[in-house]
Amino acid sequence: MSGSLTIAGKTFASRLFIGTSRYPNQQIMLDALAASGAEVVTVAMRRVSLDGGGESLFDVLGGKYFLLPNTAGCYTVRDAVLTAQLGREALGTNWVKLE
């Protein structure tokens, strides 16, 4: 078995997916992501500000990692579907991590 992971034709050198929540500040999160070696970073769409005020999480991470939207914080099917659609539009991907 090789160390890489291929899903839907996309290959990642690392099999580790890491999240963006619960860090004390953005710099610690960035340091942790870099130290992990992960290429896929999950982002809770319901917890990310899309208002355009300042540098967003997408701006900070977008060029370095494959951003995987997730449905954290959703309690109904309707909320999860709407959040997945938001992730598709915001990140331009059909991928979603269902929580």
Side-chain angles (χ1 to χ4, degrees):
M1 176 172 80
S2 80
S4 65
L5 173 67
T6 302
I7 302 173
K10 185 148 179 73
T11 301
F12 303 100
S14 172
R15 293 172 174 259
L16 178 65
F17 289 27
I18 191 167
T20 55
S21 68
R22 303 198 183 212
Y23 292 96
N25 61 55
Q26 190 175 60
Q27 189 57 55
I28 290 174
M29 177 194 67
L30 292 171
D31 293 344
L33 295 177
S36 75
E39 296 171 82
V40 179
V41 175
T42 64
V43 178
M45 296 307 298
R46 294 178 60 95
R47 298 183 182 134
V48 174
S49 174
L50 299 174
D51 67 5
E55 192 173 43
S56 76
L57 189 62
F58 304 132
D59 296 329
V60 172
L61 301 177
K64 297 178 185 177
Y65 301 97
F66 179 84
L67 299 181
L68 177 61
N70 72 47
T71 59
C74 296
Y75 294 98
T76 67
V77 171
R78 180 184 171 110
D79 284 347
V81 169
L82 290 173
T83 300
Q85 291 170 334
L86 174 64
R88 179 181 58 208
E89 296 302 317
L91 298 176
T93 183
N94 287 323
W95 292 38
V96 65
K97 178 184 170 207
L98 186 61
E99 297 200 10

